[in-house]
mmCIF file of all heavy atoms in Angstrom:
data_model
loop_
_atom_site.group_PDB
_atom_site.id
_atom_site.type_symbol
_atom_site.label_atom_id
_atom_site.label_comp_id
_atom_site.label_asym_id
_atom_site.label_seq_id
_atom_site.Cartn_x
_atom_site.Cartn_y
_atom_site.Cartn_z
ATOM 1 N N GLN A 1 92.444 -97.555 31.956
ATOM 2 C CA GLN A 1 91.819 -98.565 32.793
ATOM 3 C C GLN A 1 91.763 -98.220 34.290
ATOM 4 O O GLN A 1 91.265 -98.953 35.072
ATOM 5 C CB GLN A 1 92.505 -99.948 32.531
ATOM 6 C CG GLN A 1 93.913 -100.112 33.263
ATOM 7 C CD GLN A 1 95.024 -99.368 32.553
ATOM 8 O OE1 GLN A 1 94.817 -98.608 31.553
ATOM 9 N NE2 GLN A 1 96.195 -99.528 32.971
ATOM 10 N N ALA A 2 92.531 -97.177 34.752
ATOM 11 C CA ALA A 2 92.687 -96.827 36.069
ATOM 12 C C ALA A 2 91.413 -96.441 36.700
ATOM 13 O O ALA A 2 90.530 -95.894 36.113
ATOM 14 C CB ALA A 2 93.652 -95.677 36.247
ATOM 15 N N THR A 3 91.284 -96.750 38.002
ATOM 16 C CA THR A 3 90.307 -96.324 38.793
ATOM 17 C C THR A 3 90.790 -95.168 39.763
ATOM 18 O O THR A 3 91.741 -95.501 40.452
ATOM 19 C CB THR A 3 89.690 -97.488 39.692
ATOM 20 O OG1 THR A 3 89.127 -98.453 38.832
ATOM 21 C CG2 THR A 3 88.527 -96.910 40.567
ATOM 22 N N LEU A 4 90.267 -93.989 39.620
ATOM 23 C CA LEU A 4 90.826 -92.939 40.501
ATOM 24 C C LEU A 4 89.883 -92.611 41.597
ATOM 25 O O LEU A 4 88.658 -92.744 41.464
ATOM 26 C CB LEU A 4 90.935 -91.665 39.529
ATOM 27 C CG LEU A 4 91.859 -91.771 38.353
ATOM 28 C CD1 LEU A 4 91.850 -90.419 37.648
ATOM 29 C CD2 LEU A 4 93.219 -92.203 38.607
ATOM 30 N N CYS A 5 90.498 -92.341 42.721
ATOM 31 C CA CYS A 5 89.706 -92.107 43.941
ATOM 32 C C CYS A 5 90.313 -90.857 44.654
ATOM 33 O O CYS A 5 91.586 -90.789 44.834
ATOM 34 C CB CYS A 5 89.831 -93.198 44.849
ATOM 35 S SG CYS A 5 88.960 -93.021 46.450
ATOM 36 N N ASP A 6 89.502 -89.873 44.958
ATOM 37 C CA ASP A 6 89.944 -88.670 45.622
ATOM 38 C C ASP A 6 89.836 -88.944 47.175
ATOM 39 O O ASP A 6 88.811 -89.382 47.601
ATOM 40 C CB ASP A 6 89.121 -87.396 45.354
ATOM 41 C CG ASP A 6 89.302 -87.021 43.879
ATOM 42 O OD1 ASP A 6 90.345 -86.979 43.405
ATOM 43 O OD2 ASP A 6 88.151 -86.786 43.252
ATOM 44 N N ILE A 7 90.920 -88.703 47.924
ATOM 45 C CA ILE A 7 90.778 -88.767 49.358
ATOM 46 C C ILE A 7 90.305 -87.375 49.791
ATOM 47 O O ILE A 7 89.297 -87.162 50.340
ATOM 48 C CB ILE A 7 92.108 -89.191 49.954
ATOM 49 C CG1 ILE A 7 92.332 -90.681 49.658
ATOM 50 C CG2 ILE A 7 92.020 -88.958 51.542
ATOM 51 C CD1 ILE A 7 93.632 -91.201 50.116
ATOM 52 N N THR A 8 91.117 -86.296 49.451
ATOM 53 C CA THR A 8 90.769 -85.000 49.562
ATOM 54 C C THR A 8 91.645 -84.016 48.834
ATOM 55 O O THR A 8 92.786 -84.401 48.489
ATOM 56 C CB THR A 8 90.831 -84.493 51.053
ATOM 57 O OG1 THR A 8 90.302 -83.223 51.328
ATOM 58 C CG2 THR A 8 92.175 -84.594 51.668
ATOM 59 N N HIS A 9 91.120 -82.838 48.546
ATOM 60 C CA HIS A 9 91.912 -81.826 47.904
ATOM 61 C C HIS A 9 91.882 -80.533 48.793
ATOM 62 O O HIS A 9 92.142 -79.445 48.357
ATOM 63 C CB HIS A 9 91.428 -81.438 46.501
ATOM 64 C CG HIS A 9 91.449 -82.560 45.535
ATOM 65 N ND1 HIS A 9 92.712 -83.068 45.052
ATOM 66 C CD2 HIS A 9 90.566 -83.413 45.009
ATOM 67 C CE1 HIS A 9 92.525 -84.088 44.260
ATOM 68 N NE2 HIS A 9 91.224 -84.247 44.183
ATOM 69 N N GLN A 10 91.542 -80.705 50.059
ATOM 70 C CA GLN A 10 91.288 -79.620 50.982
ATOM 71 C C GLN A 10 92.323 -79.489 52.050
ATOM 72 O O GLN A 10 92.021 -78.791 53.123
ATOM 73 C CB GLN A 10 89.812 -79.695 51.549
ATOM 74 C CG GLN A 10 88.710 -79.838 50.525
ATOM 75 C CD GLN A 10 88.702 -78.628 49.522
ATOM 76 O OE1 GLN A 10 88.982 -77.496 49.940
ATOM 77 N NE2 GLN A 10 88.311 -78.915 48.304
ATOM 78 N N ILE A 11 93.427 -80.082 51.932
ATOM 79 C CA ILE A 11 94.500 -80.026 52.965
ATOM 80 C C ILE A 11 95.001 -78.530 52.907
ATOM 81 O O ILE A 11 95.233 -78.019 51.888
ATOM 82 C CB ILE A 11 95.571 -81.015 52.682
ATOM 83 C CG1 ILE A 11 95.031 -82.399 52.884
ATOM 84 C CG2 ILE A 11 96.758 -80.715 53.740
ATOM 85 C CD1 ILE A 11 96.082 -83.549 52.527
ATOM 86 N N ASP A 12 95.133 -77.980 54.199
ATOM 87 C CA ASP A 12 95.667 -76.581 54.261
ATOM 88 C C ASP A 12 97.126 -76.603 53.798
ATOM 89 O O ASP A 12 97.881 -77.409 54.206
ATOM 90 C CB ASP A 12 95.599 -76.105 55.631
ATOM 91 C CG ASP A 12 94.086 -75.874 56.159
ATOM 92 O OD1 ASP A 12 93.229 -75.532 55.239
ATOM 93 O OD2 ASP A 12 93.923 -76.039 57.319
ATOM 94 N N PRO A 13 97.437 -75.715 52.782
ATOM 95 C CA PRO A 13 98.867 -75.571 52.443
ATOM 96 C C PRO A 13 99.878 -75.473 53.643
ATOM 97 O O PRO A 13 99.541 -74.732 54.561
ATOM 98 C CB PRO A 13 98.856 -74.286 51.560
ATOM 99 C CG PRO A 13 97.490 -74.122 51.065
ATOM 100 C CD PRO A 13 96.536 -74.687 52.342
ATOM 101 N N TYR A 14 100.912 -76.111 53.495
ATOM 102 C CA TYR A 14 101.993 -76.155 54.480
ATOM 103 C C TYR A 14 101.597 -76.833 55.887
ATOM 104 O O TYR A 14 102.447 -76.827 56.715
ATOM 105 C CB TYR A 14 102.480 -74.746 54.747
ATOM 106 C CG TYR A 14 102.977 -74.025 53.468
ATOM 107 C CD1 TYR A 14 102.122 -73.056 52.957
ATOM 108 C CD2 TYR A 14 104.018 -74.354 52.846
ATOM 109 C CE1 TYR A 14 102.461 -72.420 51.739
ATOM 110 C CE2 TYR A 14 104.382 -73.810 51.596
ATOM 111 C CZ TYR A 14 103.619 -72.815 51.114
ATOM 112 O OH TYR A 14 103.924 -72.203 49.997
ATOM 113 N N ASN A 15 100.530 -77.430 55.923
ATOM 114 C CA ASN A 15 100.063 -78.145 57.105
ATOM 115 C C ASN A 15 100.444 -79.655 57.040
ATOM 116 O O ASN A 15 99.521 -80.564 56.740
ATOM 117 C CB ASN A 15 98.526 -77.959 57.313
ATOM 118 C CG ASN A 15 98.128 -78.468 58.787
ATOM 119 O OD1 ASN A 15 98.793 -79.207 59.350
ATOM 120 N ND2 ASN A 15 97.003 -77.910 59.256
ATOM 121 N N TYR A 16 101.635 -79.905 57.269
ATOM 122 C CA TYR A 16 102.093 -81.307 57.227
ATOM 123 C C TYR A 16 101.504 -82.183 58.184
ATOM 124 O O TYR A 16 101.322 -83.351 57.902
ATOM 125 C CB TYR A 16 103.725 -81.260 57.478
ATOM 126 C CG TYR A 16 104.435 -80.811 56.184
ATOM 127 C CD1 TYR A 16 104.549 -79.480 55.907
ATOM 128 C CD2 TYR A 16 105.125 -81.729 55.382
ATOM 129 C CE1 TYR A 16 105.359 -79.095 54.791
ATOM 130 C CE2 TYR A 16 105.871 -81.363 54.271
ATOM 131 C CZ TYR A 16 105.934 -79.988 53.950
ATOM 132 O OH TYR A 16 106.632 -79.629 52.850
ATOM 133 N N ALA A 17 101.129 -81.694 59.402
ATOM 134 C CA ALA A 17 100.534 -82.594 60.385
ATOM 135 C C ALA A 17 99.105 -83.043 59.777
ATOM 136 O O ALA A 17 98.794 -84.244 59.979
ATOM 137 C CB ALA A 17 100.296 -81.786 61.694
ATOM 138 N N GLU A 18 98.399 -82.177 59.246
ATOM 139 C CA GLU A 18 97.107 -82.533 58.656
ATOM 140 C C GLU A 18 97.227 -83.386 57.547
ATOM 141 O O GLU A 18 96.532 -84.521 57.454
ATOM 142 C CB GLU A 18 96.326 -81.218 58.278
ATOM 143 C CG GLU A 18 95.045 -81.521 57.574
ATOM 144 C CD GLU A 18 94.348 -80.243 57.008
ATOM 145 O OE1 GLU A 18 95.009 -79.375 56.542
ATOM 146 O OE2 GLU A 18 93.091 -80.199 57.066
ATOM 147 N N ALA A 19 98.161 -83.167 56.646
ATOM 148 C CA ALA A 19 98.375 -84.052 55.444
ATOM 149 C C ALA A 19 98.771 -85.493 55.896
ATOM 150 O O ALA A 19 98.248 -86.466 55.330
ATOM 151 C CB ALA A 19 99.421 -83.406 54.550
ATOM 152 N N SER A 20 99.724 -85.583 56.826
ATOM 153 C CA SER A 20 100.182 -86.891 57.244
ATOM 154 C C SER A 20 99.073 -87.700 57.939
ATOM 155 O O SER A 20 99.000 -88.917 57.774
ATOM 156 C CB SER A 20 101.512 -86.804 58.057
ATOM 157 O OG SER A 20 101.227 -86.090 59.273
ATOM 158 N N TYR A 21 98.361 -86.935 58.740
ATOM 159 C CA TYR A 21 97.200 -87.617 59.507
ATOM 160 C C TYR A 21 96.270 -88.208 58.530
ATOM 161 O O TYR A 21 95.798 -89.358 58.678
ATOM 162 C CB TYR A 21 96.609 -86.624 60.537
ATOM 163 C CG TYR A 21 95.320 -87.189 61.146
ATOM 164 C CD1 TYR A 21 95.388 -88.163 62.143
ATOM 165 C CD2 TYR A 21 94.173 -86.806 60.708
ATOM 166 C CE1 TYR A 21 94.290 -88.748 62.651
ATOM 167 C CE2 TYR A 21 93.000 -87.430 61.259
ATOM 168 C CZ TYR A 21 93.056 -88.303 62.254
ATOM 169 O OH TYR A 21 91.927 -88.780 62.777
ATOM 170 N N ILE A 22 95.818 -87.435 57.613
ATOM 171 C CA ILE A 22 94.757 -87.778 56.612
ATOM 172 C C ILE A 22 95.281 -88.984 55.795
ATOM 173 O O ILE A 22 94.635 -90.000 55.625
ATOM 174 C CB ILE A 22 94.403 -86.633 55.689
ATOM 175 C CG1 ILE A 22 93.511 -85.613 56.492
ATOM 176 C CG2 ILE A 22 93.574 -87.204 54.440
ATOM 177 C CD1 ILE A 22 93.134 -84.456 55.809
ATOM 178 N N MET A 23 96.528 -88.886 55.335
ATOM 179 C CA MET A 23 97.074 -89.954 54.516
ATOM 180 C C MET A 23 97.333 -91.308 55.335
ATOM 181 O O MET A 23 96.955 -92.354 54.900
ATOM 182 C CB MET A 23 98.419 -89.501 53.851
ATOM 183 C CG MET A 23 98.264 -88.504 52.770
ATOM 184 S SD MET A 23 97.136 -89.028 51.410
ATOM 185 C CE MET A 23 97.871 -90.450 50.941
ATOM 186 N N ALA A 24 97.846 -91.172 56.506
ATOM 187 C CA ALA A 24 98.135 -92.328 57.250
ATOM 188 C C ALA A 24 96.854 -93.039 57.736
ATOM 189 O O ALA A 24 96.742 -94.197 57.792
ATOM 190 C CB ALA A 24 98.957 -91.958 58.562
ATOM 191 N N SER A 25 95.791 -92.232 57.935
ATOM 192 C CA SER A 25 94.554 -92.724 58.363
ATOM 193 C C SER A 25 93.749 -93.368 57.184
ATOM 194 O O SER A 25 92.887 -94.244 57.480
ATOM 195 C CB SER A 25 93.786 -91.656 59.061
ATOM 196 O OG SER A 25 94.429 -91.173 60.151
ATOM 197 N N SER A 26 94.003 -92.940 56.039
ATOM 198 C CA SER A 26 93.125 -93.473 54.946
ATOM 199 C C SER A 26 93.796 -94.469 54.081
ATOM 200 O O SER A 26 93.131 -95.431 53.677
ATOM 201 C CB SER A 26 92.673 -92.238 54.020
ATOM 202 O OG SER A 26 93.784 -91.565 53.510
ATOM 203 N N THR A 27 95.067 -94.310 53.800
ATOM 204 C CA THR A 27 95.678 -95.221 52.726
ATOM 205 C C THR A 27 95.716 -96.650 53.234
ATOM 206 O O THR A 27 95.661 -97.550 52.397
ATOM 207 C CB THR A 27 97.067 -94.745 52.414
ATOM 208 O OG1 THR A 27 97.925 -94.694 53.624
ATOM 209 C CG2 THR A 27 97.046 -93.423 51.657
ATOM 210 N N ARG A 28 95.755 -96.885 54.474
ATOM 211 C CA ARG A 28 95.813 -98.285 55.015
ATOM 212 C C ARG A 28 94.558 -99.074 54.652
ATOM 213 O O ARG A 28 94.583 -100.374 54.726
ATOM 214 C CB ARG A 28 96.092 -98.358 56.487
ATOM 215 C CG ARG A 28 95.216 -97.673 57.383
ATOM 216 C CD ARG A 28 95.698 -97.525 58.751
ATOM 217 N NE ARG A 28 94.827 -96.670 59.540
ATOM 218 C CZ ARG A 28 94.112 -97.044 60.476
ATOM 219 N NH1 ARG A 28 94.138 -98.314 60.948
ATOM 220 N NH2 ARG A 28 93.403 -96.161 61.190
ATOM 221 N N HIS A 29 93.473 -98.393 54.370
ATOM 222 C CA HIS A 29 92.182 -99.108 54.111
ATOM 223 C C HIS A 29 92.009 -99.392 52.568
ATOM 224 O O HIS A 29 91.019 -99.960 52.155
ATOM 225 C CB HIS A 29 91.027 -98.233 54.565
ATOM 226 C CG HIS A 29 91.079 -97.902 55.985
ATOM 227 N ND1 HIS A 29 90.649 -98.837 56.895
ATOM 228 C CD2 HIS A 29 91.413 -96.868 56.755
ATOM 229 C CE1 HIS A 29 90.817 -98.440 58.138
ATOM 230 N NE2 HIS A 29 91.216 -97.213 58.068
ATOM 231 N N PHE A 30 93.004 -99.042 51.798
ATOM 232 C CA PHE A 30 92.892 -99.315 50.337
ATOM 233 C C PHE A 30 93.527 -100.679 50.063
ATOM 234 O O PHE A 30 94.286 -101.254 50.821
ATOM 235 C CB PHE A 30 93.686 -98.316 49.544
ATOM 236 C CG PHE A 30 92.919 -96.941 49.382
ATOM 237 C CD1 PHE A 30 92.797 -96.099 50.389
ATOM 238 C CD2 PHE A 30 92.363 -96.694 48.118
ATOM 239 C CE1 PHE A 30 92.072 -94.887 50.243
ATOM 240 C CE2 PHE A 30 91.712 -95.579 47.850
ATOM 241 C CZ PHE A 30 91.518 -94.631 49.016
ATOM 242 N N PRO A 31 93.106 -101.315 48.901
ATOM 243 C CA PRO A 31 93.541 -102.564 48.536
ATOM 244 C C PRO A 31 95.119 -102.578 48.366
ATOM 245 O O PRO A 31 95.754 -101.564 47.986
ATOM 246 C CB PRO A 31 92.958 -102.893 47.178
ATOM 247 C CG PRO A 31 91.748 -101.912 47.037
ATOM 248 C CD PRO A 31 92.184 -100.781 47.902
ATOM 249 N N GLU A 32 95.658 -103.759 48.632
ATOM 250 C CA GLU A 32 97.125 -103.888 48.384
ATOM 251 C C GLU A 32 97.466 -103.575 46.982
ATOM 252 O O GLU A 32 96.650 -103.717 46.080
ATOM 253 C CB GLU A 32 97.568 -105.365 48.727
ATOM 254 C CG GLU A 32 99.009 -105.540 48.793
ATOM 255 C CD GLU A 32 99.428 -106.901 49.333
ATOM 256 O OE1 GLU A 32 98.945 -107.227 50.418
ATOM 257 O OE2 GLU A 32 100.165 -107.572 48.624
ATOM 258 N N ASN A 33 98.661 -103.002 46.731
ATOM 259 C CA ASN A 33 99.147 -102.544 45.493
ATOM 260 C C ASN A 33 98.478 -101.333 44.968
ATOM 261 O O ASN A 33 98.588 -101.006 43.720
ATOM 262 C CB ASN A 33 99.210 -103.694 44.476
ATOM 263 C CG ASN A 33 100.048 -104.817 44.833
ATOM 264 O OD1 ASN A 33 101.199 -104.522 45.251
ATOM 265 N ND2 ASN A 33 99.587 -106.033 44.715
ATOM 266 N N SER A 34 97.808 -100.621 45.769
ATOM 267 C CA SER A 34 97.221 -99.302 45.357
ATOM 268 C C SER A 34 98.297 -98.232 45.220
ATOM 269 O O SER A 34 99.437 -98.372 45.822
ATOM 270 C CB SER A 34 96.202 -98.846 46.341
ATOM 271 O OG SER A 34 95.158 -99.504 46.426
ATOM 272 N N PHE A 35 98.062 -97.335 44.339
ATOM 273 C CA PHE A 35 99.023 -96.171 44.196
ATOM 274 C C PHE A 35 98.422 -94.959 44.764
ATOM 275 O O PHE A 35 97.276 -94.631 44.535
ATOM 276 C CB PHE A 35 99.248 -95.876 42.604
ATOM 277 C CG PHE A 35 100.116 -96.987 41.986
ATOM 278 C CD1 PHE A 35 99.518 -98.090 41.505
ATOM 279 C CD2 PHE A 35 101.399 -96.814 41.828
ATOM 280 C CE1 PHE A 35 100.290 -99.115 40.915
ATOM 281 C CE2 PHE A 35 102.204 -97.738 41.209
ATOM 282 C CZ PHE A 35 101.640 -98.949 40.809
ATOM 283 N N HIS A 36 99.197 -94.261 45.671
ATOM 284 C CA HIS A 36 98.744 -93.056 46.314
ATOM 285 C C HIS A 36 99.484 -91.809 45.904
ATOM 286 O O HIS A 36 100.695 -91.851 46.089
ATOM 287 C CB HIS A 36 98.797 -93.256 47.839
ATOM 288 C CG HIS A 36 98.093 -94.518 48.350
ATOM 289 N ND1 HIS A 36 96.767 -94.575 48.492
ATOM 290 C CD2 HIS A 36 98.596 -95.741 48.710
ATOM 291 C CE1 HIS A 36 96.433 -95.742 48.977
ATOM 292 N NE2 HIS A 36 97.585 -96.459 49.072
ATOM 293 N N LEU A 37 98.858 -90.935 45.363
ATOM 294 C CA LEU A 37 99.430 -89.662 44.863
ATOM 295 C C LEU A 37 99.249 -88.650 46.054
ATOM 296 O O LEU A 37 98.132 -88.276 46.267
ATOM 297 C CB LEU A 37 98.924 -89.135 43.612
ATOM 298 C CG LEU A 37 99.456 -89.714 42.304
ATOM 299 C CD1 LEU A 37 98.983 -91.210 42.116
ATOM 300 C CD2 LEU A 37 99.216 -88.942 41.219
ATOM 301 N N LEU A 38 100.386 -88.198 46.616
ATOM 302 C CA LEU A 38 100.348 -87.204 47.660
ATOM 303 C C LEU A 38 100.803 -85.965 47.087
ATOM 304 O O LEU A 38 102.013 -85.686 47.010
ATOM 305 C CB LEU A 38 101.293 -87.648 48.807
ATOM 306 C CG LEU A 38 100.866 -88.764 49.756
ATOM 307 C CD1 LEU A 38 101.013 -90.096 48.982
ATOM 308 C CD2 LEU A 38 101.656 -88.822 50.965
ATOM 309 N N LEU A 39 99.913 -85.148 46.554
ATOM 310 C CA LEU A 39 100.191 -83.960 45.832
ATOM 311 C C LEU A 39 100.127 -82.725 46.810
ATOM 312 O O LEU A 39 99.165 -81.967 46.642
ATOM 313 C CB LEU A 39 99.283 -83.783 44.603
ATOM 314 C CG LEU A 39 99.240 -85.038 43.708
ATOM 315 C CD1 LEU A 39 98.281 -84.869 42.581
ATOM 316 C CD2 LEU A 39 100.644 -85.364 43.186
ATOM 317 N N PHE A 40 101.005 -82.635 47.625
ATOM 318 C CA PHE A 40 101.024 -81.729 48.769
ATOM 319 C C PHE A 40 102.377 -80.981 48.822
ATOM 320 O O PHE A 40 103.395 -81.698 48.956
ATOM 321 C CB PHE A 40 100.679 -82.441 50.069
ATOM 322 C CG PHE A 40 100.836 -81.544 51.284
ATOM 323 C CD1 PHE A 40 99.878 -80.651 51.575
ATOM 324 C CD2 PHE A 40 101.955 -81.653 52.096
ATOM 325 C CE1 PHE A 40 99.998 -79.877 52.760
ATOM 326 C CE2 PHE A 40 102.142 -80.805 53.173
ATOM 327 C CZ PHE A 40 101.158 -79.950 53.540
ATOM 328 N N ASN A 41 102.389 -79.664 48.728
ATOM 329 C CA ASN A 41 103.617 -78.944 48.842
ATOM 330 C C ASN A 41 104.801 -79.496 47.996
ATOM 331 O O ASN A 41 105.880 -79.675 48.417
ATOM 332 C CB ASN A 41 104.125 -78.808 50.325
ATOM 333 C CG ASN A 41 103.340 -77.797 51.126
ATOM 334 O OD1 ASN A 41 102.328 -77.263 50.643
ATOM 335 N ND2 ASN A 41 103.802 -77.564 52.344
ATOM 336 N N LEU A 42 104.373 -79.892 46.724
ATOM 337 C CA LEU A 42 105.373 -80.590 45.841
ATOM 338 C C LEU A 42 106.633 -79.630 45.711
ATOM 339 O O LEU A 42 107.716 -80.196 45.509
ATOM 340 C CB LEU A 42 104.812 -80.851 44.546
ATOM 341 C CG LEU A 42 103.659 -81.836 44.475
ATOM 342 C CD1 LEU A 42 103.094 -82.080 43.134
ATOM 343 C CD2 LEU A 42 104.159 -83.187 45.016
ATOM 344 N N PHE A 43 106.498 -78.426 45.671
ATOM 345 C CA PHE A 43 107.625 -77.471 45.294
ATOM 346 C C PHE A 43 108.001 -76.693 46.639
ATOM 347 O O PHE A 43 108.521 -75.528 46.462
ATOM 348 C CB PHE A 43 107.221 -76.477 44.247
ATOM 349 C CG PHE A 43 106.516 -77.199 43.070
ATOM 350 C CD1 PHE A 43 105.237 -76.793 42.732
ATOM 351 C CD2 PHE A 43 107.070 -78.225 42.415
ATOM 352 C CE1 PHE A 43 104.518 -77.492 41.640
ATOM 353 C CE2 PHE A 43 106.486 -78.852 41.332
ATOM 354 C CZ PHE A 43 105.242 -78.456 40.933
ATOM 355 N N ASP A 44 107.849 -77.219 47.703
ATOM 356 C CA ASP A 44 108.020 -76.509 48.964
ATOM 357 C C ASP A 44 109.531 -76.161 49.127
ATOM 358 O O ASP A 44 109.974 -75.059 49.542
ATOM 359 C CB ASP A 44 107.626 -77.465 50.114
ATOM 360 C CG ASP A 44 107.630 -76.723 51.490
ATOM 361 O OD1 ASP A 44 107.544 -75.374 51.480
ATOM 362 O OD2 ASP A 44 107.721 -77.315 52.522
ATOM 363 N N LYS A 45 110.457 -77.048 48.666
ATOM 364 C CA LYS A 45 111.885 -76.809 48.705
ATOM 365 C C LYS A 45 112.324 -76.702 47.215
ATOM 366 O O LYS A 45 111.831 -77.309 46.319
ATOM 367 C CB LYS A 45 112.639 -78.021 49.323
ATOM 368 C CG LYS A 45 112.264 -78.358 50.783
ATOM 369 C CD LYS A 45 113.140 -79.429 51.352
ATOM 370 C CE LYS A 45 113.203 -80.695 50.329
ATOM 371 N NZ LYS A 45 114.094 -81.751 50.965
ATOM 372 N N PRO A 46 113.260 -75.690 46.954
ATOM 373 C CA PRO A 46 113.631 -75.466 45.534
ATOM 374 C C PRO A 46 114.285 -76.663 44.949
ATOM 375 O O PRO A 46 114.279 -76.900 43.732
ATOM 376 C CB PRO A 46 114.650 -74.323 45.717
ATOM 377 C CG PRO A 46 114.902 -74.088 47.183
ATOM 378 C CD PRO A 46 113.883 -74.811 47.881
#
């Protein structure tokens, strides 16, 4: 039943500034109780 929405899959690897800017600028416009998957550098630290 989920509705999926892509914000972007084009964030430059290891570019935390770009990732945080895009997420902070976009997620606030989504409906309350939305789930946001931030799949960026998931395995950056062991």
Side-chain angles (χ1 to χ4, degrees):
Q1 75 285 5
T3 301
L4 303 181
C5 177
D6 295 313
I7 294 175
T8 185
H9 296 290
Q10 305 302 326
I11 296 174
D12 292 328
Y14 307 106
N15 191 336
Y16 282 79
E18 179 184 33
S20 64
Y21 172 75
I22 288 171
M23 289 304 302
S25 299
S26 61
T27 57
R28 62 191 169 111
H29 297 287
F30 279 76
E32 191 169 305
N33 296 314
S34 291
F35 289 85
H36 305 283
L37 276 77
L38 290 72
L39 307 176
F40 171 80
N41 283 9
L42 292 178
F43 315 119
D44 192 24
K45 300 185 311 184

